[in-house]
Amino acid sequence: MNRALILAVAAAVGIVVASSTLFTVHQTQQVLITQFGQPIRVITEPGLQAKIPFVQSVIAFDRRLLDYEAAGEEVILGDQRRLIVDSFTRYRITDPLLFFQTAGAAEAGIRARLNSIVTSALRRVLGNEPLLSVLSTDRTRIMGEIRRQVNEEARRFGIEVTDVRIRRADLPDENTQAILNRMQSERERVAREARAEGAEVAAQVRARADRERTVLLAEAQAQADILRGQGEQDAIRIFAEAFQRDPQFFQFWRTMQAYREAFSQGETRMLLSPDSEFFRFFRESMQMPGAASGAAAPAPRAVALPPPVPA
């Protein structure tokens, strides 16, 4: 009985010693071994490890990305506008020994220091930027500069900052309406300038189009007058050449046209002397041999005259 008890006690002691000596490092962890509070060594490889029981202690640190959300801070921008910035930071522990020496064994020890670092960087960088830059595509450049400054200061704590982002940027309640009114006035001013420039360009285009239209119409009218004059000249030349072949017939033809125009209405009254040149062809027809012998002149026939020709 005593031997069995001794064996049981020895087994229990062995189990306790083994549990205090052996420990497992998970793949998401990195371990710092301390002896009487002093750091001895750092283990970053996962697997089963051993330490001196009851003398050395194991402090595990997460090697994954960690998040830290900072409270909203009021920041004065480069154009003296106030903005409430709510940010978050992502970091990882790269040097467990340095982290233990500067921030302690718990991750909570780094949060106060990280909050101070991030807030200072936000104030420095945003203090040189206007509101429109923070709200535009320049925000990526601004966040890159903030991340660079935060990472430089955080390295002395054994951590690496991989990202800093502005989650929300709000205007203070007392300044929101005034700033919105100012922004609206600015946008309206830009819109008025754009409309004025557009109206100026439209007037220039319209004036140029009217000038070209006037030139085109004048050139077309001049060309039409030239063509019309050439046509009338050709017509006169053709008529002149045709009538020069028989001038007497031309004179007779013009007289017949005058008779048609004068007597076409049927109610025309003319006061002329009997020897007027206008009735020369009538007198000549009366002096023909058939008319002089007193014989009865044949009844006049209706003769269809051709249409008048231009003079």
Side-chain angles (χ1 to χ4, degrees):
M1 179 64 71
N2 292 334
R3 184 177 180 180
L5 180 61
I6 293 172
L7 291 175
V9 171
V13 171
I15 293 173
V16 172
V17 172
S19 63
S20 299
T21 302
L22 302 176
F23 63 95
T24 302
V25 179
H26 196 267
Q27 61 266 24
T28 62
Q29 294 178 335
Q30 48 192 343
V31 173
L32 176 64
I33 305 298
T34 61
Q35 184 172 325
F36 300 112
Q38 298 298 323
I40 301 300
R41 59 193 174 98
V42 176
I43 302 175
T44 58
E45 296 296 330
L48 185 63
Q49 304 290 336
K51 65 179 180 62
I52 300 175
F54 311 112
V55 176
Q56 296 180 346
S57 301
V58 177
I59 302 176
F61 298 97
D62 201 329
R63 65 190 307 170
R64 295 172 297 182
L65 280 177
L66 303 175
D67 294 334
Y68 170 69
E69 296 183 3
E73 294 286 342
E74 185 173 322
V75 180
I76 300 177
L77 302 179
D79 53 3
Q80 303 304 314
R81 296 179 180 177
R82 297 180 180 273
L83 196 66
I84 298 177
V85 178
D86 196 2
S87 65
F88 70 91
T89 306
R90 288 186 174 180
Y91 67 97
R92 62 163 47 94
I93 300 174
T94 57
D95 190 343
L97 177 58
L98 184 58
F99 184 87
F100 175 76
Q101 293 173 344
T102 56
E107 295 176 4
I110 196 61
R111 296 185 179 274
R113 294 175 174 82
L114 197 58
N115 181 73
S116 177
I117 294 172
V118 173
T119 301
S120 299
L122 285 173
R123 293 183 185 277
R124 283 195 302 269
V125 176
L126 295 180
N128 298 323
E129 301 291 341
L131 179 61
L132 292 179
S133 296
V134 177
L135 301 180
S136 66
T137 55
D138 289 341
R139 188 164 176 169
T140 303
R141 174 185 59 81
I142 294 173
M143 298 314 303
E145 179 62 21
I146 294 174
R147 181 177 63 254
R148 185 188 64 80
Q149 295 187 13
V150 172
N151 194 31
E152 288 181 357
E153 296 186 24
R155 286 175 182 173
R156 58 191 178 91
F157 297 102
I159 63 175
E160 177 188 5
V161 176
T162 59
D163 197 8
V164 178
R165 294 287 178 178
I166 295 178
R167 183 172 58 182
R168 187 178 61 183
D170 296 331
L171 298 171
D173 294 338
E174 62 273 12
N175 298 336
T176 300
Q177 191 59 42
I179 294 177
L180 290 178
N181 293 336
R182 191 182 311 166
M183 293 176 63
Q184 181 179 359
S185 301
E186 179 67 17
R187 294 296 94 190
E188 290 177 353
R189 182 187 65 80
V190 173
R192 286 195 298 270
E193 292 180 355
R195 283 194 292 267
E197 293 176 357
E200 181 180 359
V201 173
Q204 294 176 357
V205 173
R206 191 177 295 109
R208 184 164 57 251
D210 291 340
R211 182 172 62 253
E212 293 177 356
R213 172 180 175 274
T214 302
V215 172
L216 290 175
L217 289 177
E219 293 178 352
Q221 184 64 35
Q223 187 67 21
D225 293 340
I226 292 174
L227 294 177
R228 188 179 297 108
Q230 292 177 352
E232 292 178 355
Q233 181 181 359
D234 293 341
I236 294 174
R237 179 180 56 79
I238 293 172
F239 279 114
E241 292 176 354
F243 290 121
Q244 282 177 0
R245 297 179 181 179
D246 192 349
Q248 294 181 354
F249 175 75
F250 176 68
Q251 185 177 8
F252 174 75
W253 179 262
R254 295 301 302 271
T255 303
M256 292 299 102
Q257 285 184 328
Y259 290 164
R260 170 179 291 178
E261 293 177 358
F263 301 115
S264 60
Q265 300 296 330
E267 298 179 357
T268 303
R269 295 182 181 182
M270 304 179 66
L271 299 177
L272 299 173
S273 62
D275 57 351
S276 173
E277 185 66 20
F278 187 72
F279 296 109
R280 182 171 64 88
F281 287 101
F282 284 132
R283 289 196 303 272
E284 291 179 355
S285 63
M286 296 296 295
Q287 294 174 1
M288 293 177 64
S293 62
R301 295 181 302 168
V303 179
L305 298 178
V309 296

